[in-house]
Amino acid sequence: MSEAFDNSIYRGYLEQFPEKSELCRKYRAKPVELIYARRRNLLAQFLSEADASQAGNGHALAAEDIARGFANHQGCPRKALGNLPWEAVQKTAGLLFRESCRELRARYG
């Protein structure tokens, strides 16, 4: 994903939901990165960054939420997620993004 594309998504998101927390923005950015990334190992990177114990680290918490979402949708342990076919990564990332869109609409209209 190009930096310009990433920045335009982020700016649009901030305009639409200016009150959203940094953690929420980071969580919503991760599925988009997985959908459009050229790097096939990006999910593995997110899995390695996932850490629910780092309360002040938005990236670690967002990565934790992504890891949990992938494990739930794939019905497998986290260790197995690194072996998912690329198409499954993109499909699951799309599902997670759509779920977060529905949650935001339900909360904020």
Side-chain angles (χ1 to χ4, degrees):
M1 177 179 336
S2 76
E3 187 174 335
F5 178 74
D6 189 36
N7 287 337
S8 70
I9 288 175
Y10 188 70
R11 278 192 310 275
Y13 179 77
L14 288 177
E15 289 168 8
Q16 189 174 4
F17 300 105
E19 74 285 356
K20 300 305 325 135
S21 71
E22 183 71 13
L23 175 59
C24 181
R25 290 192 300 260
K26 287 179 181 178
Y27 171 77
R28 287 184 48 83
K30 288 193 182 312
V32 173
E33 289 179 67
L34 288 167
I35 292 167
Y36 295 105
R38 291 189 181 112
R39 290 180 38 218
R40 301 287 171 125
N41 64 342
L42 192 56
L43 178 59
Q45 177 185 331
F46 290 164
L47 295 172
S48 71
E49 295 171 351
D51 188 348
S53 69
Q54 293 188 26
N57 184 335
H59 285 289
L61 295 175
E64 175 68 27
D65 287 343
I66 292 297
R68 188 178 313 115
F70 264 83
N72 289 341
H73 277 284
Q74 293 297 318
C76 65
R78 288 186 192 194
K79 291 186 284 186
L81 293 175
N83 298 323
L84 287 178
W86 183 241
E87 295 77 20
V89 170
Q90 290 180 305
K91 181 179 179 183
T92 304
L95 290 170
L96 293 174
F97 185 77
R98 285 189 296 280
E99 286 174 1
S100 71
C101 289
R102 283 192 296 273
E103 290 172 12
L104 283 175
R105 277 195 295 277
R107 262 189 228 160
Y108 301 103

